[in-house]
Amino acid sequence: MLEQRSFRDILGRFTTGVVLVTADTAEGPKGMAVNSFTSVSLTPPLVALCAADTSSTWPAIRDTGSFAVTILGDRHAELCRLFSTKGADRFAAGDWSTTRAGHPIPADGLAWLDCRITTVHPAGDHELVIAEALEGSLSEQADPLVFHAGRFTALAVA
């Protein structure tokens, strides 16, 4: 059987982008950094993400039934680290905007989507979330925040 550490190390070689998933919840603004995010369908416009069962943030976001996704740029590494830290005051610093649905988003993200949760499937020690993108916008042209082999890295220009 494949050991958990080996599995993590192997999958760490797969380069991913990083997004923030945020929502205006009954408990106030909540958010988490996610690198297990992908497009699923163009018609209807669907995205997917995975949220750990151990997340203290995800249940409040899930309970709202909707959330915003912000695609982060390479200048957002510290913001991403903040949103990955348990117990941190994640919204204390920075310049924040809100989507029309009322979800907080960093004002300088590369792009954002407002999403409505359509399906949540148990998947091992995570939940697989499918959501419909209802609205979105491109915000800025810049290099993305990239995660590879357990660290942030830059894209190589060919």
Side-chain angles (χ1 to χ4, degrees):
M1 177 167 199
L2 187 60
E3 293 178 14
Q4 184 182 40
R5 181 74 254 167
S6 294
F7 185 61
R8 287 184 67 142
D9 290 345
I10 290 165
L11 291 181
R13 297 300 189 258
F14 183 71
T15 303
T16 63
V18 185
V19 301
L20 290 186
V21 173
T22 53
D24 182 26
T25 76
E27 302 168 17
K30 295 283 185 179
M32 59 189 192
V34 173
N35 72 340
S36 57
F37 174 79
T38 191
S39 62
V40 173
S41 168
L42 293 176
T43 307
L46 298 175
V47 296
L49 63 92
C50 294
D53 290 343
T54 57
S55 172
S56 58
T57 303
W58 171 242
I61 294 174
R62 182 187 56 222
D63 289 350
T64 69
S66 64
F67 55 81
V69 173
T70 303
I71 298 170
L72 299 178
D74 59 0
R75 68 182 168 280
H76 293 113
E78 287 306 313
L79 180 65
C80 185
R81 283 186 189 94
L82 178 65
F83 271 72
S84 299
T85 303
K86 287 192 183 295
D89 188 355
R90 297 173 178 171
F91 295 92
D95 188 14
W96 293 91
S97 296
T98 56
T99 66
R100 229 176 0 185
H103 299 306
I105 56 172
D108 63 348
L110 300 187
W112 61 268
L113 294 167
D114 252 335
C115 300
R116 178 181 51 83
I117 297 170
T118 60
T119 310
V120 177
H121 297 285
D125 59 1
H126 280 65
E127 288 186 338
L128 172 61
V129 181
I130 309 293
E132 183 176 7
L134 303 174
E135 186 174 6
S137 179
L138 293 171
S139 303
E140 190 172 322
Q141 182 71 17
D143 287 337
L145 185 59
V146 178
F147 197 71
H148 178 263
R151 64 182 177 84
F152 297 114
T153 189
L155 293 176
V157 179

